[in-house]
Amino acid sequence: MSGGKPQEGIYLETKKNIIGTGSTAKVAEYRNFWATLKVDEAVMEMVLLDDSFGLTGIREKFPTEVVTGPNWLFVEQGQKKYQQLKQKLEKLSAPKQTKPTQKPTKDSGKKSGWWTK
């Protein structure tokens, strides 16, 4: 999907690197599947998928222009799997709830219990 509009779903990222030097140098192609977590016009937050298309917990933010570029491909066939992952993805993107901090009371510095009486 080169230069297209960003969409929710699964993307395939391909990278080519040269491994080795001189006559032993070889080109290796790496393929990573990513699921979108948040999509907007400027940045796409994504989660790396493992070999079984499960969530790895590795999150990255990519400029939308990179994800819609030539090294990325929107995987239309992955929509069914994406829908299965969507509930887990929503939990990841939800803000974490923190417990309110308890204010110390004037007795909080005093020890209590049978041993202090």
Side-chain angles (χ1 to χ4, degrees), residues 22-116:
S23 63
T24 62
K26 294 184 181 182
V27 175
E29 183 176 88
Y30 298 97
R31 298 164 50 103
N32 295 316
F33 286 95
W34 296 86
T36 56
L37 193 56
K38 293 180 186 174
V39 176
D40 69 36
E41 293 296 320
V43 177
M44 295 177 72
E45 188 172 352
M46 305 177 95
V47 178
L48 182 66
L49 301 177
D50 62 18
D51 293 341
S52 303
F53 288 87
L55 302 176
T56 64
I58 297 173
R59 294 165 68 162
E60 292 284 334
K61 291 182 181 180
F62 299 100
T64 301
E65 62 196 32
V66 170
V67 178
T68 57
N71 294 334
W72 290 77
L73 176 68
F74 179 73
V75 182
E76 290 184 36
Q77 301 87 344
Q79 284 303 95
K80 184 176 180 181
K81 185 62 179 175
Y82 181 74
Q83 292 305 318
Q84 294 170 350
L85 291 172
K86 199 161 182 159
Q87 188 175 12
K88 291 178 183 177
L89 289 166
E90 287 172 354
K91 286 181 184 178
L92 284 176
S93 64
K96 292 184 179 179
Q97 294 182 357
T98 58
K99 293 181 182 178
T101 56
Q102 187 177 13
K103 290 186 177 182
T105 62
K106 71 178 188 176
D107 292 336
S108 65
K110 296 178 183 177
K111 294 181 181 179
S112 62
W114 60 267
W115 61 89
T116 60

